[in-house]
């Protein structure tokens, strides 16, 4: 449980961090809360020669205007103790308070673990990831960010600066997570956002945690419900499509088939709760 030796730098600006990344290539890794990277290093699944600590670059903070802009260095605890709708609801369910005190939303998004909770929420909310590299800034839509297991659209020399979340005024929301033990990673997690107008669903968004190698949208459910009466029956029918297009990993917790069944049940419950039915 002791990581291999590494050098350590704590630059004072994002630009300095980027030039260290550019200089050292894939020998260097950014360090935020360390709650995903350090366990991997201790298990020797990762062995960066240089850790570039972001603690002095000032990327934390949340601005709440026309939607949210959340600094990448914002720790889970800051989101958990605010009033940021679905994001706050999901963040409260991340691990335990010690992890939430150190872990950051930027680290979670950059790490790209399909079992992490924030990625499915940011995906369901059509968030935008603002990143900076040697050639300047660019925006990555959440739909393009998560490419494979622990693989994102981020280049080795890019830093996540912030995450934009559009406003969802008038939406109901729910984040449900199925775990065998309290405070565990999700076997299946569901992020649901719904807007009901004139008794019918006008917008339905469903994100799935740990149902494949990336966070996913339950698009078949979303399409089946949009325009339908906002009833428990309509949700129950649509939720049967929750596992369409998913590929959940079989593991010590459950078979893939069991997780597909679980997704149907959890999507039904999350949508029912989000719609206030
Ligand atoms: P780090 O570990 O510091 O970094 C993770 C990766 O992101 C590294 O590759 C790093 O180089 C990169 N990175 C970090 N910041 C940036 C940036 N600004 N730009 C570009 N790259 C960056 N998470 C959940 O969602 N749900 C859970 O139930 C859960 N359970 C956990 C249980 C335990 C026991 C532990 C230790 C962790 C758990 N986590 C869980 C993970 C936790 O939320 C992490 O904090 C989070 O995934 C990563 O954030 P971090 O700030 O710690 O990132």
């Amino acid at each position: 449980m002791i990581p291999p030796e590494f050098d350590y730098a704590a630059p004072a600006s994002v630009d300095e961090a980027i030039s260290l990344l550019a200089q050292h290539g894939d020998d260097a890794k950014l360090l935020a809360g360390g709650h995903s990277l350090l366990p991997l290093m201790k298990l020797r699944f990762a062995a960066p020669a240089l850790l570039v600590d972001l603690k002095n670059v000032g990327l934390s903070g949340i601005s709440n205007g026309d939607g949210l802009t959340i600094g990448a260095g914002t720790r889970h605890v800051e989101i958990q103790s605010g009033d940021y709708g679905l994001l706050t609801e999901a963040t409260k369910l991340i691990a335990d308070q010690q992890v939430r005190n150190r872990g950051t939303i930027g680290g979670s998004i950059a790490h790209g673990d399909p079992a992490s909770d924030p990625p499915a929420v940011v995906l369901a909310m059509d968030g935008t990831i603002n990143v900076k590299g040697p050639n300047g800034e660019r925006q990555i839509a959440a739909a393009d960010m998560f490419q494979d297991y622990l693989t994102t659209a981020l280049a080795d020399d890019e830093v996540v600066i912030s995450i934009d979340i559009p406003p969802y005024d008038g939406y109901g929301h729910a984040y449900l997570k199925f775990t065998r033990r309290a405070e565990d990673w999700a076997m299946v997690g569901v992020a649901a956002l719904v807007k009901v107008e004139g008794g019918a669903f006008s917008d339905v968004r469903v994100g799935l945690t740990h149902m494949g190698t990336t966070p996913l949208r339950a698009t078949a459910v979303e399409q089946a419900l949009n325009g339908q009466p906002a009833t428990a029956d309509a949700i129950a029918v649509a939720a049967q499509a929750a596992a369409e297009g998913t590929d959940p990993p079989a593991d010590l917790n459950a078979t893939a088939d069991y997780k597909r069944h679980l997704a149907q049940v959890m999507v039904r419950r999350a949508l029912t709760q989000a719609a206030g039915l």
Side-chain angles (χ1 to χ4, degrees):
M1 297 302 278
I2 297 174
E5 275 192 21
F6 54 86
D7 290 329
Y8 174 85
S13 69
V14 170
D15 288 341
E16 250 183 81
I18 292 168
S19 67
L20 283 168
L21 292 180
Q23 226 173 297
H24 293 268
D26 58 10
D27 280 343
K29 269 282 184 198
L30 294 172
L31 176 71
H35 272 54
S36 289
L37 181 57
L38 296 185
L40 286 183
M41 290 172 64
K42 288 182 170 186
L43 292 166
R44 308 226 168 190
F45 289 139
L50 173 69
L51 283 188
V52 180
D53 194 338
L54 292 172
K55 69 178 181 182
N56 297 328
V57 306
L59 285 178
S60 87
I62 305 175
S63 69
N64 197 351
D66 184 24
L68 297 173
T69 296
I70 309 165
T74 305
R75 289 171 297 132
H76 300 318
V77 63
E78 298 167 66
I79 297 170
Q80 161 193 3
S81 26
D83 184 12
Y84 308 113
L86 177 59
L87 199 57
T88 292
E89 190 181 349
T91 301
K92 285 179 179 169
L93 297 180
I94 295 175
D96 52 44
Q97 196 58 54
Q98 284 166 300
V99 172
R100 296 193 296 268
N101 284 345
R102 296 292 306 167
T104 65
I105 188 166
S108 178
I109 298 296
H111 192 53
D113 185 342
S116 289
D117 303 291
V121 174
V122 172
L123 183 66
M125 298 181 95
D126 273 330
T128 301
I129 324 302
N130 302 305
V131 311
K132 190 171 185 190
N135 301 320
E137 295 190 22
R138 68 181 179 118
Q139 278 75 43
I140 306 173
D144 300 325
M145 180 68 175
F146 307 106
Q147 299 191 333
D148 204 345
Y149 184 69
L150 304 187
T151 306
T152 67
L154 205 59
D156 282 344
D157 54 5
E158 284 182 318
V159 178
V160 176
I161 304 296
S162 60
I163 293 114
D164 293 336
I165 305 281
Y168 284 95
D169 300 334
Y171 281 69
H173 59 81
Y175 188 82
L176 300 185
K177 180 168 166 175
F178 193 92
T179 57
R180 276 181 58 202
R181 301 173 304 184
E183 303 181 338
D184 219 341
W185 297 90
M187 274 169 66
V188 176
V190 178
L193 259 186
V194 302
K195 186 153 197 181
V196 176
E197 289 174 295
F201 287 114
S202 57
D203 191 20
V204 174
R205 296 162 169 273
V206 181
L208 298 174
T209 298
H210 217 178
M211 283 296 290
T213 56
T214 64
L216 296 169
R217 290 278 288 264
T219 42
V221 177
E222 296 175 348
Q223 284 164 5
L225 274 182
N226 276 319
Q228 293 299 307
T231 63
D233 284 348
I235 290 174
V237 171
Q240 289 171 17
E244 234 175 69
T246 67
D247 187 16
D251 54 27
L252 289 176
N253 284 320
T255 62
D257 274 347
Y258 183 81
K259 291 185 182 181
R260 287 190 194 99
H261 170 72
L262 206 49
Q264 295 175 349
V265 175
M266 302 289 287
V267 164
R268 176 171 52 74
R269 288 182 188 168
L271 285 169
T272 307
Q273 189 174 315
L277 295 168

